[in-house]
Each structure stands twice: as C-alpha cells, then as structure tokens.
Amino acid sequence: MIRLRLPALLAAALLLSACASTPGRPYDPFEASNRVMYAINDPLDKYIAKPIAQAWVDYVPSFIRTGASNYFNNIDDLFSGINGLLQGKLDKAGDDFGRVMINTGFGFLGLIDIASEAGIPRGNEDFGQTFGYWGIPQGPYLFIPLWGPSTVRDGTGSILRYWYTPTQLIPDVAVRNVIYGIGAIDARAQALGATSLLEQASIDPYTFVRRSYLQRREYLVYDGKPPPEKEEE
Amino acid sequence: MRFPISLSRVVAGLCFAVAASVALAQEAPDALVKRVAGEVLQIIKTDPKVQAGDQQRIREVVESKLLPYFDFERITALAMGRNWRQASPEQQKQLVDQFRALLVRTYSGALAQYRDQVMDYKPLRADANATDVTVRTEVIRQGQQPVQIDYSMTKSPSGWKVYDVIVGGVSLVTNYRDEFTEQIKSGGIDGLIKTLNAKNQGAPAK
C-alpha cells in the first residue's frame, strides 16, 4: 500500500497548488514562478544535463544506446497499451500489447525492438492523454526544472507512469537507480538537436516552449485532429 | 522567309519557358511540396558546401529554392492576428521583412541538422476547385515515432503558396502569435520590430 501513497500525495499537492491562481493568461496562472523555474532550468540543463547527454552520444557505443532506448520505449509501449484500453482504442492497444509481448519475450526484456522490424507501429498514448480524452481539463501549465513543460493533468499522469514503472520490480535498489539514471540521459539525448533550434527560432523561449507544448498535447489528445483553435484575446 | 536557326531556337526556348511556367502555376499543391522538398533534400545530401556546414550556402539554398513558395505577407499577418490591422503599411513591410529573415535563419538551422530521414507524402484529399488545402507529409526515423509535417497552402495567381507549417501538431503561426502578442503588449508594434531586428542582427546560433 505504500506504493499508492506517493502519487496520491503528489497529485494532491499539484491540485492544491493549482487552486492558488493569479490572473494573466488563463492557461498559465503561475507564469511568474514558472519563469523562475525556467530560468533555473537553463544553467542546470546547459552545464549538467546537456553535457552528460552529449557525452552519452559521443562515447557510448550505439548498440548500447539503442538497447537502452528500446528498453524504455518498451515500457512506454506498455503504458501506451494501458491508456489505449482506458480510452477504448482497442486496435491501438492491441498493437501496443503485441509489441510489448514480442519485445519483452523475444527481445531480451525489450532491449531489441523486434516488433518494429516486424512492422507493428508504435503507439504514443499516455495517462495525460487519457485524462484529456475523458474530458478532464489540462489545468495550469507547469514548468519543472530538468523535466520540462507540463500541466497539472499531464504531470499527474507522468507521476502515475513513473511510479508504476515495471523497473520498480527490480529488487536491487542500486541497479534500479542506474536504470533510472540512464533513462533520464536517454530522454535528454533524444532532444539534443531541438534546443539550438529553439534558441534560433524564438523571441522569448519560455513563451515558445509553452505554446509548442500545449499545442502538441492538444494534438495528441485528439489523435492528430484537434478542433480548430479559437482566436484569443 | 526563313528564320535564322539561332532565332528559331530562341523562340522555341521561349515557348518552352512559357509552357513550363504555366505548368508550374497549375502544379497541384501536393506535387509542388514533393518536388520542392525533393530538390532541397537532394542539394542538402550532395552539395559539398552544405555537407561541410557552410551556413551561407545553406541560406542561399533556402532563399532560392524554398522562399518563392512561401507567402510571407500572409504568414506575418496571421501571426500578428488582430494587431496586423493596427500596423501602418510601413510597419507591416518591416514586420514581413524581419519575420522572413528570422524564418530563413531558423529553416537554415533546421536543414543543417538534417540527416538521412525518409519523407513520406500522403495523398491529398481535397476538391479539385479548392483554393485552400493542407498537404500532409511525414518524416520517418528508424525506431522512433514518425513526425507529421503539414503545410497549409493557398492558391495564388502565381501558384500555390505555403502560409503555415505544422510540425507534429505545433503550428508555426500559432506559436509566433503568442510571442508577437507578448512583445506588442510590452513595447508596441515598433517594439516587436526592434526585437525581431535585434534577433536577426545577432550571431547565428550554433
């Protein structure tokens, strides 16, 4: 039962903080503190996360990196299947669960992505999208250092997803932590090209990231067919 | 009377050029996207200067091969939203110029990062008489989620022109509308022009 407690607490904390809103952009009532978090994230990313991810790409053999990505993708596929089910998208969920079974069983716990070779497409459902599909609003926008953009809805989903990850089943704490560490590096390495482009494209990177994130999530919730946007202000 | 041989060649050449430009003006929007993207990617893959990361050359490619197919006035007006009508003609001209420069820089940076992804072009589902269509493409990367890139296009007398690019559901115009609104709120339209100008004067990001 201990496992249940943390996500519930964090979700409650997120929701509570969501109530203390200030006027401004309706979707970003915490803009002032979010901007502080964004400013904190900048040096953390520049001097810690990004160099580590770059070293990972430069010095670790590609078959190890691919194996690591595949391992985490396999877990994502599992959650994609669960969320497909939660949204009643049985076809997609079937693909996802099929992938997980093939890759876990024949691909050494997901280290080899046989299912992609076999042409089974990857899904990309997650808890945040499920909540959106159920009609739960996204709630205030949040920027979390070293994690990135989120919302109360998506953040709650991410907490669920990482709290119940199968990696938790590994009994050895040290091994588990190494895997979590590699997961974080792998995630950052995937986005290495994106940051320089962001600096080039945006006038105010904070606004740019926020709008990109919110648009992207809306698009995913509606499976690529979001309703036409309303003119703001 | 017989035409000198060289003159008849010129006439034939002219006829061909006119025919070609008429054909181009009538080129279907999805065919246009496929052709232009194919041409640009071919240059990116084979041009030694581009391969060496020569920013100047990449920018030349963007200017000559891509820009003619973008309607920058429409893009700027859409990104400005209702502020567009508040701007004087002179301000509008400056906004279009500065925004175009910013997008060229960004596009050049993006192309410099292009590796050997595969482009997939979706069949166009639109009425033959349509004047506004969305051309859907997909970038396929090994072992990763494909990225959808959609081009919103409108028909003009000189052929189809792009007025928005939507990457994985993120619309360029919508993104910039937020940024522009924020700048205009704090410094007015002239403030926005100044900011864009300063950004374009700055050293290109790595």
Short mmCIF file of all heavy atoms in Angstrom, two decimals, chain B residues 43-94:
data_model
loop_
_atom_site.label_atom_id
_atom_site.label_comp_id
_atom_site.label_asym_id
_atom_site.label_seq_id
_atom_site.Cartn_x
_atom_site.Cartn_y
_atom_site.Cartn_z
N ILE B 43 19.88 18.61 -52.76
CA ILE B 43 21.01 19.55 -52.62
C ILE B 43 21.70 19.33 -51.28
O ILE B 43 22.92 19.26 -51.19
CB ILE B 43 20.52 21.00 -52.74
CG1 ILE B 43 19.98 21.26 -54.15
CG2 ILE B 43 21.64 21.97 -52.41
CD1 ILE B 43 19.28 22.59 -54.31
N ILE B 44 20.88 19.19 -50.22
CA ILE B 44 21.45 19.01 -48.88
C ILE B 44 22.35 17.77 -48.85
O ILE B 44 23.40 17.76 -48.23
CB ILE B 44 20.31 18.84 -47.84
CG1 ILE B 44 19.40 20.06 -47.83
CG2 ILE B 44 20.85 18.56 -46.45
CD1 ILE B 44 19.91 21.24 -47.13
N LYS B 45 21.92 16.75 -49.52
CA LYS B 45 22.66 15.48 -49.47
C LYS B 45 23.91 15.51 -50.32
O LYS B 45 24.88 14.81 -50.03
CB LYS B 45 21.76 14.34 -49.97
CG LYS B 45 20.86 13.78 -48.88
CD LYS B 45 20.10 12.57 -49.42
CE LYS B 45 18.72 12.50 -48.83
NZ LYS B 45 17.83 11.62 -49.54
N THR B 46 23.90 16.29 -51.42
CA THR B 46 25.00 16.16 -52.37
C THR B 46 25.92 17.37 -52.43
O THR B 46 27.07 17.25 -52.83
CB THR B 46 24.45 15.91 -53.81
OG1 THR B 46 23.52 16.95 -54.11
CG2 THR B 46 23.75 14.58 -53.90
N ASP B 47 25.45 18.55 -52.03
CA ASP B 47 26.28 19.75 -52.15
C ASP B 47 27.41 19.70 -51.12
O ASP B 47 27.15 19.65 -49.91
CB ASP B 47 25.40 20.99 -51.93
CG ASP B 47 26.16 22.28 -52.24
OD1 ASP B 47 27.24 22.49 -51.66
OD2 ASP B 47 25.66 23.06 -53.06
N PRO B 48 28.67 19.73 -51.58
CA PRO B 48 29.79 19.61 -50.62
C PRO B 48 29.82 20.75 -49.62
O PRO B 48 30.15 20.55 -48.45
CB PRO B 48 31.04 19.62 -51.52
CG PRO B 48 30.58 20.06 -52.86
CD PRO B 48 29.13 19.78 -52.98
N LYS B 49 29.45 21.97 -50.06
CA LYS B 49 29.47 23.11 -49.14
C LYS B 49 28.43 22.94 -48.03
O LYS B 49 28.67 23.25 -46.87
CB LYS B 49 29.20 24.41 -49.90
CG LYS B 49 30.41 24.97 -50.59
CD LYS B 49 30.09 26.36 -51.11
CE LYS B 49 31.25 26.94 -51.86
NZ LYS B 49 30.81 28.08 -52.69
N VAL B 50 27.25 22.45 -48.42
CA VAL B 50 26.20 22.22 -47.42
C VAL B 50 26.65 21.14 -46.47
O VAL B 50 26.49 21.25 -45.24
CB VAL B 50 24.87 21.83 -48.11
CG1 VAL B 50 23.83 21.43 -47.08
CG2 VAL B 50 24.35 22.98 -48.96
N GLN B 51 27.25 20.09 -47.02
CA GLN B 51 27.73 18.98 -46.20
C GLN B 51 28.74 19.46 -45.17
O GLN B 51 28.79 18.97 -44.05
CB GLN B 51 28.38 17.91 -47.09
CG GLN B 51 27.39 17.18 -47.98
CD GLN B 51 26.64 16.11 -47.24
OE1 GLN B 51 27.23 15.28 -46.57
NE2 GLN B 51 25.33 16.12 -47.34
N ALA B 52 29.54 20.46 -45.58
CA ALA B 52 30.57 20.97 -44.67
C ALA B 52 29.99 21.95 -43.66
O ALA B 52 30.70 22.49 -42.82
CB ALA B 52 31.69 21.63 -45.48
N GLY B 53 28.68 22.20 -43.74
CA GLY B 53 28.02 23.07 -42.77
C GLY B 53 28.17 24.56 -43.10
O GLY B 53 28.12 25.40 -42.20
N ASP B 54 28.37 24.89 -44.37
CA ASP B 54 28.52 26.28 -44.80
C ASP B 54 27.17 27.00 -44.70
O ASP B 54 26.29 26.83 -45.55
CB ASP B 54 29.04 26.29 -46.25
CG ASP B 54 29.27 27.70 -46.77
OD1 ASP B 54 28.72 28.66 -46.19
OD2 ASP B 54 30.00 27.84 -47.76
N GLN B 55 27.02 27.81 -43.62
CA GLN B 55 25.73 28.47 -43.37
C GLN B 55 25.29 29.36 -44.52
O GLN B 55 24.12 29.42 -44.86
CB GLN B 55 25.81 29.30 -42.08
CG GLN B 55 25.76 28.48 -40.80
CD GLN B 55 24.43 27.77 -40.63
OE1 GLN B 55 23.37 28.32 -40.94
NE2 GLN B 55 24.46 26.54 -40.15
N GLN B 56 26.28 30.05 -45.10
CA GLN B 56 25.99 30.97 -46.20
C GLN B 56 25.31 30.22 -47.35
O GLN B 56 24.30 30.64 -47.90
CB GLN B 56 27.30 31.63 -46.66
CG GLN B 56 27.12 32.67 -47.74
CD GLN B 56 26.24 33.83 -47.25
OE1 GLN B 56 26.32 34.22 -46.08
NE2 GLN B 56 25.39 34.35 -48.12
N ARG B 57 25.90 29.08 -47.70
CA ARG B 57 25.39 28.28 -48.81
C ARG B 57 23.99 27.72 -48.48
O ARG B 57 23.09 27.74 -49.32
CB ARG B 57 26.38 27.14 -49.09
CG ARG B 57 25.91 26.13 -50.12
CD ARG B 57 25.95 26.70 -51.55
NE ARG B 57 25.33 25.78 -52.49
CZ ARG B 57 24.39 26.11 -53.38
NH1 ARG B 57 23.98 27.36 -53.45
NH2 ARG B 57 23.89 25.22 -54.19
N ILE B 58 23.83 27.25 -47.24
CA ILE B 58 22.53 26.70 -46.85
C ILE B 58 21.46 27.79 -46.97
O ILE B 58 20.36 27.57 -47.46
CB ILE B 58 22.59 26.14 -45.41
CG1 ILE B 58 23.55 24.95 -45.35
CG2 ILE B 58 21.21 25.71 -44.94
CD1 ILE B 58 23.81 24.42 -43.97
N ARG B 59 21.85 28.99 -46.56
CA ARG B 59 20.89 30.10 -46.63
C ARG B 59 20.54 30.41 -48.08
O ARG B 59 19.38 30.69 -48.39
CB ARG B 59 21.48 31.34 -45.93
CG ARG B 59 20.41 32.21 -45.35
CD ARG B 59 20.96 33.26 -44.44
NE ARG B 59 21.44 32.71 -43.18
CZ ARG B 59 21.79 33.46 -42.14
NH1 ARG B 59 21.73 34.77 -42.24
NH2 ARG B 59 22.20 32.91 -41.03
N GLU B 60 21.54 30.33 -48.95
CA GLU B 60 21.28 30.55 -50.38
C GLU B 60 20.26 29.56 -50.90
O GLU B 60 19.35 29.90 -51.65
CB GLU B 60 22.58 30.38 -51.19
CG GLU B 60 23.40 31.64 -51.35
CD GLU B 60 24.76 31.31 -51.95
OE1 GLU B 60 24.85 30.38 -52.79
OE2 GLU B 60 25.73 31.97 -51.55
N VAL B 61 20.44 28.30 -50.50
CA VAL B 61 19.53 27.25 -50.95
C VAL B 61 18.11 27.55 -50.48
O VAL B 61 17.15 27.48 -51.25
CB VAL B 61 19.98 25.86 -50.43
CG1 VAL B 61 18.93 24.80 -50.74
CG2 VAL B 61 21.32 25.48 -51.04
N VAL B 62 18.00 27.95 -49.20
CA VAL B 62 16.67 28.26 -48.66
C VAL B 62 16.06 29.43 -49.42
O VAL B 62 14.89 29.39 -49.82
CB VAL B 62 16.77 28.57 -47.15
CG1 VAL B 62 15.45 29.11 -46.62
CG2 VAL B 62 17.17 27.32 -46.38
N GLU B 63 16.87 30.49 -49.63
CA GLU B 63 16.36 31.69 -50.31
C GLU B 63 15.89 31.37 -51.73
O GLU B 63 14.82 31.82 -52.15
CB GLU B 63 17.46 32.76 -50.40
CG GLU B 63 17.96 33.24 -49.06
CD GLU B 63 17.44 34.62 -48.72
OE1 GLU B 63 16.61 35.14 -49.48
OE2 GLU B 63 17.86 35.16 -47.68
N SER B 64 16.67 30.60 -52.46
CA SER B 64 16.35 30.41 -53.87
C SER B 64 15.35 29.28 -54.09
O SER B 64 14.53 29.35 -54.99
CB SER B 64 17.64 30.14 -54.66
OG SER B 64 18.23 28.93 -54.23
N LYS B 65 15.38 28.24 -53.26
CA LYS B 65 14.56 27.06 -53.53
C LYS B 65 13.25 27.04 -52.74
O LYS B 65 12.25 26.53 -53.22
CB LYS B 65 15.34 25.78 -53.21
CG LYS B 65 16.53 25.56 -54.12
CD LYS B 65 16.07 25.04 -55.46
CE LYS B 65 17.22 25.01 -56.44
NZ LYS B 65 16.76 24.68 -57.79
N LEU B 66 13.28 27.56 -51.51
CA LEU B 66 12.08 27.45 -50.66
C LEU B 66 11.25 28.73 -50.65
O LEU B 66 10.03 28.69 -50.78
CB LEU B 66 12.48 27.11 -49.22
CG LEU B 66 12.87 25.66 -48.94
CD1 LEU B 66 13.30 25.52 -47.49
CD2 LEU B 66 11.70 24.73 -49.23
N LEU B 67 11.94 29.87 -50.50
CA LEU B 67 11.21 31.13 -50.29
C LEU B 67 10.15 31.44 -51.33
O LEU B 67 9.07 31.92 -50.96
CB LEU B 67 12.20 32.30 -50.20
CG LEU B 67 13.01 32.38 -48.92
CD1 LEU B 67 13.44 33.81 -48.67
CD2 LEU B 67 12.20 31.87 -47.73
N PRO B 68 10.41 31.15 -52.62
CA PRO B 68 9.37 31.51 -53.60
C PRO B 68 8.03 30.84 -53.34
O PRO B 68 7.02 31.29 -53.86
CB PRO B 68 9.97 31.02 -54.93
CG PRO B 68 11.44 30.94 -54.69
CD PRO B 68 11.61 30.60 -53.24
N TYR B 69 8.00 29.79 -52.54
CA TYR B 69 6.76 29.06 -52.32
C TYR B 69 6.10 29.41 -50.99
O TYR B 69 5.18 28.74 -50.56
CB TYR B 69 7.01 27.56 -52.43
CG TYR B 69 7.64 27.21 -53.75
CD1 TYR B 69 8.99 26.93 -53.84
CD2 TYR B 69 6.88 27.22 -54.92
CE1 TYR B 69 9.57 26.65 -55.07
CE2 TYR B 69 7.45 26.95 -56.15
CZ TYR B 69 8.80 26.67 -56.21
OH TYR B 69 9.37 26.41 -57.43
N PHE B 70 6.62 30.43 -50.32
CA PHE B 70 6.01 30.86 -49.05
C PHE B 70 5.38 32.23 -49.23
O PHE B 70 5.97 33.11 -49.85
CB PHE B 70 7.07 30.92 -47.95
CG PHE B 70 7.40 29.56 -47.37
CD1 PHE B 70 8.22 28.69 -48.07
CD2 PHE B 70 6.89 29.17 -46.15
CE1 PHE B 70 8.52 27.43 -47.55
CE2 PHE B 70 7.18 27.92 -45.63
CZ PHE B 70 8.00 27.04 -46.33
N ASP B 71 4.18 32.39 -48.69
CA ASP B 71 3.51 33.68 -48.73
C ASP B 71 3.78 34.39 -47.40
O ASP B 71 3.02 34.24 -46.43
CB ASP B 71 2.01 33.47 -48.94
CG ASP B 71 1.24 34.78 -49.04
OD1 ASP B 71 1.83 35.84 -48.73
OD2 ASP B 71 0.06 34.74 -49.40
N PHE B 72 4.89 35.14 -47.35
CA PHE B 72 5.32 35.70 -46.07
C PHE B 72 4.39 36.78 -45.56
O PHE B 72 4.28 36.98 -44.35
CB PHE B 72 6.75 36.22 -46.17
CG PHE B 72 7.74 35.11 -46.04
CD1 PHE B 72 8.40 34.63 -47.14
CD2 PHE B 72 7.98 34.52 -44.81
CE1 PHE B 72 9.29 33.58 -47.02
CE2 PHE B 72 8.86 33.47 -44.69
CZ PHE B 72 9.52 33.00 -45.79
N GLU B 73 3.73 37.47 -46.48
CA GLU B 73 2.82 38.51 -46.01
C GLU B 73 1.65 37.88 -45.26
O GLU B 73 1.28 38.33 -44.17
CB GLU B 73 2.31 39.33 -47.19
CG GLU B 73 1.84 40.68 -46.71
CD GLU B 73 1.55 41.62 -47.85
OE1 GLU B 73 2.46 41.87 -48.65
OE2 GLU B 73 0.40 42.09 -47.91
N ARG B 74 1.14 36.80 -45.81
CA ARG B 74 0.03 36.08 -45.15
C ARG B 74 0.50 35.49 -43.82
O ARG B 74 -0.20 35.56 -42.82
CB ARG B 74 -0.45 34.99 -46.12
CG ARG B 74 -1.58 34.16 -45.59
CD ARG B 74 -2.86 34.42 -46.37
NE ARG B 74 -3.99 33.74 -45.75
CZ ARG B 74 -4.56 32.64 -46.24
NH1 ARG B 74 -4.11 32.11 -47.36
NH2 ARG B 74 -5.58 32.09 -45.63
N ILE B 75 1.69 34.89 -43.83
CA ILE B 75 2.22 34.28 -42.60
C ILE B 75 2.34 35.35 -41.51
O ILE B 75 1.93 35.15 -40.36
CB ILE B 75 3.59 33.62 -42.87
CG1 ILE B 75 3.44 32.43 -43.81
CG2 ILE B 75 4.25 33.18 -41.56
CD1 ILE B 75 4.75 31.81 -44.27
N THR B 76 2.91 36.49 -41.88
CA THR B 76 3.10 37.55 -40.89
C THR B 76 1.76 38.09 -40.40
O THR B 76 1.57 38.29 -39.19
CB THR B 76 3.92 38.71 -41.51
OG1 THR B 76 5.06 38.16 -42.18
CG2 THR B 76 4.39 39.66 -40.44
N ALA B 77 0.84 38.29 -41.34
CA ALA B 77 -0.48 38.82 -40.94
C ALA B 77 -1.17 37.86 -39.98
O ALA B 77 -1.75 38.28 -38.97
CB ALA B 77 -1.34 39.03 -42.19
N LEU B 78 -1.09 36.55 -40.27
CA LEU B 78 -1.72 35.56 -39.39
C LEU B 78 -1.05 35.54 -38.02
O LEU B 78 -1.71 35.44 -36.99
CB LEU B 78 -1.63 34.17 -40.03
CG LEU B 78 -2.60 33.91 -41.19
CD1 LEU B 78 -2.26 32.59 -41.86
CD2 LEU B 78 -4.02 33.90 -40.68
N ALA B 79 0.28 35.64 -38.01
CA ALA B 79 1.00 35.60 -36.73
C ALA B 79 0.69 36.86 -35.92
O ALA B 79 0.70 36.83 -34.68
CB ALA B 79 2.50 35.46 -36.96
N MET B 80 0.42 37.98 -36.59
CA MET B 80 0.10 39.22 -35.90
C MET B 80 -1.33 39.21 -35.36
O MET B 80 -1.65 39.96 -34.43
CB MET B 80 0.25 40.40 -36.85
CG MET B 80 1.68 40.74 -37.22
SD MET B 80 2.55 41.55 -35.87
CE MET B 80 1.73 43.15 -35.87
N GLY B 81 -2.19 38.39 -35.96
CA GLY B 81 -3.58 38.37 -35.51
C GLY B 81 -4.22 39.73 -35.70
O GLY B 81 -4.01 40.40 -36.70
N ARG B 82 -4.98 40.15 -34.68
CA ARG B 82 -5.70 41.41 -34.86
C ARG B 82 -4.79 42.63 -34.76
O ARG B 82 -5.21 43.74 -35.10
CB ARG B 82 -6.87 41.51 -33.89
CG ARG B 82 -6.50 41.51 -32.44
CD ARG B 82 -7.75 41.54 -31.61
NE ARG B 82 -8.68 40.46 -32.02
CZ ARG B 82 -9.77 40.14 -31.36
NH1 ARG B 82 -10.11 40.84 -30.29
NH2 ARG B 82 -10.54 39.15 -31.74
N ASN B 83 -3.54 42.44 -34.36
CA ASN B 83 -2.61 43.56 -34.33
C ASN B 83 -2.19 43.99 -35.74
O ASN B 83 -1.65 45.08 -35.93
CB ASN B 83 -1.36 43.20 -33.54
CG ASN B 83 -1.64 43.13 -32.05
OD1 ASN B 83 -2.22 44.05 -31.49
ND2 ASN B 83 -1.27 42.03 -31.43
N TRP B 84 -2.39 43.10 -36.71
CA TRP B 84 -1.94 43.39 -38.08
C TRP B 84 -2.60 44.66 -38.61
O TRP B 84 -1.95 45.49 -39.23
CB TRP B 84 -2.28 42.19 -38.98
CG TRP B 84 -1.86 42.33 -40.41
CD1 TRP B 84 -2.67 42.39 -41.50
CD2 TRP B 84 -0.51 42.41 -40.92
NE1 TRP B 84 -1.93 42.48 -42.66
CE2 TRP B 84 -0.61 42.50 -42.34
CE3 TRP B 84 0.75 42.40 -40.34
CZ2 TRP B 84 0.51 42.59 -43.16
CZ3 TRP B 84 1.87 42.49 -41.16
CH2 TRP B 84 1.74 42.59 -42.55
N ARG B 85 -3.88 44.82 -38.34
CA ARG B 85 -4.60 45.98 -38.89
C ARG B 85 -4.21 47.27 -38.17
O ARG B 85 -4.42 48.35 -38.69
CB ARG B 85 -6.11 45.75 -38.82
CG ARG B 85 -6.65 45.16 -40.12
CD ARG B 85 -8.00 44.53 -39.92
NE ARG B 85 -7.86 43.28 -39.19
CZ ARG B 85 -8.79 42.79 -38.37
NH1 ARG B 85 -9.89 43.46 -38.15
NH2 ARG B 85 -8.60 41.64 -37.77
N GLN B 86 -3.65 47.14 -36.95
CA GLN B 86 -3.20 48.34 -36.24
C GLN B 86 -1.88 48.86 -36.81
O GLN B 86 -1.50 50.00 -36.57
CB GLN B 86 -2.97 48.04 -34.75
CG GLN B 86 -4.00 47.13 -34.12
CD GLN B 86 -5.36 47.80 -33.98
OE1 GLN B 86 -5.42 48.95 -33.59
NE2 GLN B 86 -6.42 47.09 -34.31
N ALA B 87 -1.16 48.01 -37.53
CA ALA B 87 0.16 48.41 -38.03
C ALA B 87 0.03 49.25 -39.29
O ALA B 87 -0.84 49.00 -40.13
CB ALA B 87 1.00 47.17 -38.31
N SER B 88 0.88 50.26 -39.41
CA SER B 88 0.89 51.08 -40.62
C SER B 88 1.51 50.27 -41.75
O SER B 88 2.21 49.29 -41.50
CB SER B 88 1.72 52.34 -40.37
OG SER B 88 3.09 52.00 -40.28
N PRO B 89 1.27 50.69 -43.02
CA PRO B 89 1.86 49.94 -44.14
C PRO B 89 3.38 49.82 -44.00
O PRO B 89 3.94 48.77 -44.32
CB PRO B 89 1.48 50.79 -45.36
CG PRO B 89 0.26 51.54 -44.94
CD PRO B 89 0.38 51.76 -43.47
N GLU B 90 4.01 50.87 -43.51
CA GLU B 90 5.47 50.83 -43.35
C GLU B 90 5.86 49.78 -42.29
O GLU B 90 6.78 48.98 -42.48
CB GLU B 90 5.97 52.23 -42.95
CG GLU B 90 7.45 52.32 -42.67
CD GLU B 90 8.33 51.80 -43.81
OE1 GLU B 90 7.91 51.87 -44.99
OE2 GLU B 90 9.43 51.30 -43.50
N GLN B 91 5.12 49.78 -41.18
CA GLN B 91 5.37 48.78 -40.14
C GLN B 91 5.13 47.37 -40.67
O GLN B 91 5.90 46.44 -40.39
CB GLN B 91 4.47 49.03 -38.93
CG GLN B 91 4.91 50.22 -38.07
CD GLN B 91 3.90 50.49 -36.96
OE1 GLN B 91 2.69 50.39 -37.16
NE2 GLN B 91 4.40 50.84 -35.79
N GLN B 92 4.06 47.23 -41.45
CA GLN B 92 3.76 45.90 -41.99
C GLN B 92 4.90 45.40 -42.87
O GLN B 92 5.29 44.23 -42.78
CB GLN B 92 2.46 45.96 -42.82
CG GLN B 92 1.22 46.18 -41.96
CD GLN B 92 -0.06 46.10 -42.76
OE1 GLN B 92 -0.04 46.08 -43.98
NE2 GLN B 92 -1.18 46.07 -42.07
N LYS B 93 5.44 46.31 -43.66
CA LYS B 93 6.53 45.93 -44.56
C LYS B 93 7.75 45.48 -43.74
O LYS B 93 8.37 44.45 -44.03
CB LYS B 93 6.89 47.11 -45.46
CG LYS B 93 7.85 46.73 -46.56
CD LYS B 93 8.30 47.95 -47.36
CE LYS B 93 9.51 47.64 -48.22
NZ LYS B 93 10.65 47.14 -47.48
N GLN B 94 8.06 46.25 -42.71
CA GLN B 94 9.20 45.89 -41.87
C GLN B 94 8.98 44.57 -41.16
O GLN B 94 9.90 43.75 -41.03
CB GLN B 94 9.46 46.99 -40.84
CG GLN B 94 10.03 48.25 -41.44
CD GLN B 94 10.45 49.23 -40.36
OE1 GLN B 94 10.90 48.83 -39.29
NE2 GLN B 94 10.29 50.51 -40.65
#
